[in-house]
Every structure is written in structure tokens, then in C-alpha cells.
Amino acid sequence: MVHTMNRWQLAAIIINFTVGSSLLMAPNMTAAYAGKDGWLSMLLACALGVLCNLLLLYLLSKYQYSSIFDIAEQIAGKIGGTLFTILFLFITLHLTALVLRNFSNFMTTVLLPEVRPDSFEIMMVILVIFSVSKGVQNIARINEIIAPLMIIFILLTLILVSNNLESENILPVLDQGWHAIFHGAYPVFGFPFIEMIVFTAFLPFVADKTWLKTYYLFALTIAGLLLSAAILVTIGVEGESIAKREVYSAYSMARSIELGTLFQRVEAFIGIVWMVALFVKITVCFLSVQFCLSHLSRSGDYYSFLFPTGLLVWTMSSHLHHDLIDFTEFVAKNWTLYWLSLYIIIILLLFIGLLFGKHKRLPKPKKSA
């Protein structure tokens, strides 16, 4: 199992992690509060996300991008560092379960409603366990192929459907004022931009850290622009009312694409792209959980944790929320504050470490394990 990747591979994973998880749900979340200005809410959330991640990366660079778990232990001591790692473990485990539930919700709501959600969740967990067992490098190489294809499919979809865009669906701009735009930015600020905290467990394995902040923030900006464009086109084609009403309004928007009589039901490509991107996000989150467990157990690998963790994630995903409405409301109202709490803890921890010179005592981060 090899844990190493280059900067471009990290950027590709970030784009897939950010765009893939939010592509279908972001139009509904932003339009619910900002109406036809939902795309401006996404731009605002992206800008705030870039600033927050810039601060995080700046502080981590002072620690030579060492493992966040080693940093916490160096600053807060063994007990304090262990408590932080447990907190990080719980929140990341929760994220993994919710993304898995998001996957099964989509499959049973849109594609195959007659199939039990457990079937999709079990198949995804098995695939994720196998991928994670091969290490970071395997995931990075696979994603090098997946990410460009995902971007191409999204851009082609937006271009093909743009002829159905109606200007009255997106004009006038700022129709409900800045308050509504800030309100619409709140849920998508946490989902997915603050969730980027999980990558603090991956940064030690980037082989060349020169210009790491640039690659990281560039990828995050590209992802935000893609999401904003997707929301703009979705609202422009479907209208504000449908974007508010349908959880997967971007998927519904793609149904209007028809390329003659040969190529129809093109929205299936959007569904496939989203499923693959969700696989990447679940894998990244699941691997972060394994790094937490490996650190807590002082073990050189995490093989013994793969199956128990997969079983736990599957169980959590099945019991955390009763239905799709409950799931969506929880993410829209609570998710940002939930993850922002962890972000603030990390920032304060890193600041305290700098004040007391703890960053000078850390060993150089390992590139492989």
C-alpha cells in the first residue's frame, strides 16, 4: 500500500470531491433561500471557502504540512491530541455515512426506486474498502482519469441544455437582495467547502509541496465556478419554483437534452458522473477515517480496521435519517455550523502552536506508509 501523490493528482481529487458531491443538490439548496440568485450564493460560498482554506493552508505550511494528528499531539499533548483525533474521527465518519446515504437516496429516488437502498450501500462499501486497501496512490491515479471526464461531461451538458435557458428565470439579478444571497450561501459553504478539512489528513503524502497552496486553491476555485455555472443553467432552464421543489433539479434539467432520435435520456450521463464522483468522495472520507484509526492505534497500517469501519458506516447511513426530506433539512440547516466548529478548533490549535513555537519541534512528514 503506497501513500503518495503529486500536486495535480491532489487538485483532481479536490475538484471531484467538491463538484461531485454538490452538483445535483446545490441548485435546490441555494434556490430555496436565494431564488433565482442561487448561483450568486454559490459564488459567495466559494469565495468564503477559498479564504477559509487559504488561512488553514497558511497555518499548516508553518508545520511543513505534517499530519494534523501529529500536530495536535505536539500542541495539546498526548491526551489532548488523542481527544482531537477522536473528534476528527467521529465527524469524518459521520460525513462518510451521510455521503453513502446521499448515494442510496439518489439511486432509490431517481434511478431504481424498486430496489432496497441497502443493496446500493453494501455494494458501494465493498468497492470503497477494496480501493482504500490499495492506498492513496491508487485512488489518486484512478481519479486522474475520472476528474477530467467528469468536467467534460458537466460542461457538455451545460452547453447542450443552454438553448433551453430562459432569461426571465434568472433576471433581474439581486431580485431578493443580498440577505437572501447570504442565506443561500450558508448551506453550500459547509457542503462542500468547509468539508475540505478532511484533506488535512492527505497533505503529508503530497510528494512535492512546492506551490501546494496554489494547486489546492486553484482546484477549489474551478470547482466553485463549475457549481455556480451548473446552478445558473439549472435555474435558467427549470425555473426557480422547480429548482426549489426538486432535490435533484440538475438531473431533471438534463432530461430536456435530446440529440436527434439516437441519443436521448442524456441525463443518465449526469447520474453516472455523480455516482462516480460520490465514490471518490466516500473513498477520501473513508481513508481519512483509516488514518485516524491508524494514528490512534499506533499501527503501521489500517487493514484490520477496513471491514469493521465499513460495517459501521453502512449501519450509520441506514439509521441517521428517516427519509430524504429529513436528510436534506439536516444538511441545509446544521451541516455548515457542524463543520465550522471543527474548523475553528483546528485554526485555534494551529495558532496556539505557533505562539508557543511547537511548529519547530515536529519531525518531517512521511511520504509513504
Side-chain angles (χ1 to χ4, degrees):
M1 141 175 83
V2 181
H3 294 321
T4 184
M5 58 180 165
N6 61 45
R7 295 165 299 183
W8 280 114
Q9 289 171 335
L10 174 67
I13 294 176
I14 288 172
I15 292 174
N16 226 335
F17 182 96
T18 308
V19 175
S21 65
S22 306
L23 178 62
L24 295 188
M25 295 186 68
N28 171 264
M29 287 186 173
T30 54
Y33 301 104
K36 60 182 66 177
D37 292 325
W39 63 280
L40 287 175
S41 293
M42 178 54 75
L43 281 180
L44 176 61
C46 177
L48 294 173
V50 168
L51 289 175
C52 287
N53 280 278
L54 175 61
L55 175 60
L56 178 62
L57 289 171
Y58 171 77
L59 293 174
L60 286 172
S61 67
K62 300 299 182 181
Y63 295 85
Q64 295 81 45
Y65 299 106
S66 297
S67 167
I68 189 64
F69 314 122
D70 291 335
I71 294 173
E73 195 165 296
Q74 181 69 36
I75 296 170
K78 190 169 183 179
I79 296 177
T82 299
L83 291 175
F84 171 82
T85 304
I86 292 173
L87 175 65
F88 194 100
L89 168 66
F90 172 78
I91 295 180
T92 308
L93 193 65
H94 192 185
L95 173 60
T96 310
L98 282 188
V99 180
L100 181 63
R101 179 62 179 267
N102 201 3
F103 167 72
S104 65
N105 282 341
F106 175 72
M107 296 297 292
T108 56
T109 302
V110 177
L111 296 182
L112 296 168
E114 67 278 4
V115 180
R116 286 178 55 85
D118 293 347
S119 304
F120 299 113
E121 292 168 358
I122 291 172
M123 287 189 292
M124 177 62 80
V125 167
I126 292 173
L127 182 60
V128 168
I129 288 175
F130 175 77
S131 299
V132 169
S133 69
K134 302 301 180 182
V136 171
Q137 190 175 84
N138 174 69
I139 299 168
R141 287 178 174 176
I142 292 174
N143 198 71
E144 272 189 303
I145 302 172
I146 294 174
L149 291 176
M150 182 195 72
I151 294 172
I152 291 171
F153 276 129
I154 292 173
L155 291 177
L156 281 176
T157 300
L158 298 181
I159 291 170
L160 290 172
V161 82
S162 60
N163 64 322
N164 297 323
L165 191 147
E166 299 180 9
S167 59
E168 58 267 23
N169 288 338
I170 56 175
L171 296 175
V173 179
L174 296 176
D175 185 39
Q176 300 183 40
W178 282 102
H179 176 75
I181 292 174
F182 276 97
H183 201 177
Y186 173 76
V188 290
F189 174 53
F191 169 69
F193 295 106
I194 294 297
E195 292 175 351
M196 300 297 296
I197 293 171
V198 300
F199 282 94
T200 56
F202 285 80
L203 297 182
F205 306 116
V206 179
D208 184 3
K209 296 179 176 61
T210 309
W211 299 101
L212 178 60
K213 290 192 289 290
T214 303
Y215 281 80
Y216 189 108
L217 297 175
F218 174 76
L220 202 58
T221 303
I222 292 297
L225 292 175
L226 279 173
L227 288 172
S228 183
I231 294 171
L232 175 65
V233 173
T234 299
I235 296 175
V237 172
E238 293 291 291
E240 177 184 341
S241 60
I242 295 179
K244 289 180 177 179
R245 187 171 65 250
E246 294 194 12
V247 176
Y248 305 114
S249 52
Y251 184 83
S252 177
M253 173 267 297
R255 290 175 179 169
S256 61
I257 301 174
E258 291 187 4
L259 303 177
T261 58
L262 182 60
F263 294 101
Q264 298 187 13
R265 301 303 302 269
V266 181
E267 74 274 7
F269 285 106
I270 287 291
I272 293 171
V273 166
W274 203 52
M275 286 187 287
V276 172
L278 283 179
F279 159 72
V280 172
K281 184 166 184 175
I282 295 170
T283 303
V284 169
C285 296
F286 194 84
L287 189 52
S288 296
V289 171
Q290 304 311 310
F291 289 146
C292 290
L293 294 171
S294 178
H295 180 82
L296 288 171
S297 65
R298 311 296 175 182
S299 174
D301 59 62
Y302 47 71
Y303 283 120
S304 57
F305 302 116
L306 289 175
F307 180 75
T309 308
L311 187 61
L312 179 59
V313 167
W314 170 62
T315 305
M316 289 176 64
S317 69
S318 302
H319 295 89
L320 284 173
H321 299 282
H322 299 295
D323 50 39
L324 180 59
I325 296 175
D326 181 47
F327 173 86
T328 306
E329 287 183 353
F330 172 78
V331 173
K333 294 179 180 179
N334 304 312
W335 198 242
T336 295
L337 185 60
Y338 184 56
W339 274 84
L340 194 58
S341 301
L342 178 61
Y343 175 83
I344 292 172
I345 290 172
I346 293 176
I347 294 298
L348 289 176
L349 197 66
L350 296 175
F351 264 125
I352 292 171
L354 286 178
L355 288 176
F356 288 93
K358 301 286 187 178
H359 60 293
K360 300 176 182 178
R361 305 175 191 175
L362 280 168
K364 291 185 179 181
K366 298 178 181 180
K367 296 182 181 179
S368 60

